[in-house]
Amino acid sequence: MIDTDAIWHVLEGVADPEIPVVSVVDLGIVRAVTPALVTITPTYTGCPATQVIEREIRDALDAAGYRDVAVETVLSPPWTTDWISESGKAKLHAYGIAPPSDARTATCPQCGSTQTEEISRFGSTPCKAQWRCRDCLEPFDRFKCH
Ligand SMILES: [Zn+2]
């Protein structure tokens, strides 16, 4: 018998290729786990990390002895930032990335100020916008909402 809890545990050890402090589980990329199949939804269809994530999940499963567990990528329904877990949002914040929200302003991860502005729709990756804090003047990335 394959224990799906054990598979979840393996997946929790797979870091996002761009943000190594959060796992693919934290980000909500892993949609479902059965003894035969892991279903994943990439964070952003334009994201170059998507294929890397799928390969890393495959490698982690193989390394843990789950060679017979398939990995399937599902694009519908599309991933949204709502799927990021609370602990995932806290880790993003600690890493200096503003967690996504529907608010028009982002909170600066450096000093906590809400006096921030978007300076580019494209941050370090297509999934993030670049923001700047008007108080401490530090730039930071913010996940785009869908
Ligand atoms: Zn600041």
Side-chain angles (χ1 to χ4, degrees):
M1 273 300 286
I2 290 180
D3 179 0
T4 53
D5 285 346
I7 296 177
W8 278 108
H9 188 71
V10 170
L11 298 172
E12 280 164 5
V14 179
D16 181 81
E18 294 179 345
I19 316 162
V21 292
V22 288
S23 75
V24 294
V25 175
D26 287 327
L27 285 177
I29 292 170
V30 179
R31 300 310 303 153
V33 174
T34 72
L37 182 68
V38 171
T39 305
I40 61 172
T41 297
T43 47
Y44 202 72
T45 40
C47 202
T50 299
Q51 282 146 7
V52 178
I53 289 171
E54 185 170 343
R55 198 175 64 236
E56 290 193 348
I57 288 173
R58 178 74 266 158
D59 288 349
L61 290 171
D62 288 350
Y66 298 112
R67 289 178 191 282
D68 294 334
V69 178
V71 178
E72 181 185 42
T73 296
V74 173
L75 298 177
S76 179
W79 180 88
T80 85
T81 46
D82 291 344
W83 294 356
I84 302 176
S85 70
E86 288 306 313
S87 72
K89 287 175 186 170
K91 288 177 195 170
L92 288 174
H93 189 84
Y95 192 61
I97 295 174
S101 83
D102 292 329
R104 283 196 179 278
T105 56
T107 301
C108 172
Q110 312 294 336
C111 72
S113 169
T114 53
Q115 298 299 310
T116 55
E117 61 189 346
E118 185 179 273
I119 54 176
S120 169
R121 281 303 286 162
F122 295 95
S124 56
T125 74
C127 328
K128 300 183 212 106
Q130 190 163 31
W131 283 60
R132 182 173 55 199
C133 175
R134 293 199 193 108
D135 282 335
C136 70
L137 304 178
E138 286 293 323
F140 60 93
D141 284 340
R142 185 196 199 198
F143 261 101
K144 285 180 193 171
C145 287
H146 289 231

